[in-house]
Amino acid sequence: QVQVVESGGGLVQPGGSLRLSCAASGSIFGVIFMGWFRQAPGKQRELVAGIIGSGVTNLLDSVKGRFTLSRDNAKNTMYLQMNSLRSEDTAVYYCKIVCGHPPAEYWGQGTQVTVSS
């Protein structure tokens, strides 16, 4: 059974940093996309950062220069380094993995990030 588990969320002061991890276990083949989404109360879920198979990344405009997406293929783990955090970054952050062969997609259960003084 494939499982996707996020970790690293928590409470942090404005201007602080957190690193989120997304670890995948089980039989996963043909990964074509990995990314982080977030959803704040009363708001739409939005893509924060994503990486495709070639290694090209894309970031939400509001996090550019502050967040960095990376992955460790050997560990089947993706990371989101978040610096200079702001209160508006407060949300539940979800990891998503999309596979093409065979087609499949997987979501983690989410990890809470709270930025508050």
Side-chain angles (χ1 to χ4, degrees):
Q1 182 179 0
V2 173
Q3 291 187 333
V4 178
V5 180
E6 304 101 330
S7 63
L11 175 64
V12 65
Q13 298 268 26
S17 298
L18 287 172
R19 190 177 79 159
L20 305 183
S21 298
C22 172
S25 63
S27 299
I28 299 179
F29 301 96
V31 176
I32 58 175
F33 171 86
M34 300 180 70
W36 289 96
F37 292 74
R38 69 184 182 188
Q39 187 166 23
K43 297 183 179 180
Q44 298 279 355
R45 185 174 296 188
E46 62 184 351
L47 175 64
V48 179
I51 184 168
I52 60 176
S54 66
V56 175
T57 61
N58 194 21
L59 296 170
L60 184 68
D61 285 345
S62 63
V63 308
K64 288 180 178 177
R66 300 189 296 121
F67 291 10
T68 303
L69 182 67
S70 63
R71 64 184 178 185
D72 185 337
N73 290 334
K75 297 181 179 180
N76 292 320
T77 302
M78 176 179 62
Y79 306 95
L80 185 66
Q81 179 66 47
M82 305 186 295
N83 299 324
S84 301
L85 283 162
R86 307 166 181 168
S87 60
E88 54 263 41
D89 295 317
T90 296
V92 178
Y93 285 70
Y94 299 90
C95 175
K96 182 181 180 180
I97 301 173
V98 179
C99 302
H101 305 283
E105 64 178 46
Y106 309 96
W107 287 91
Q109 294 185 358
T111 184
Q112 177 71 49
V113 172
T114 302
V115 185
S116 177
S117 60

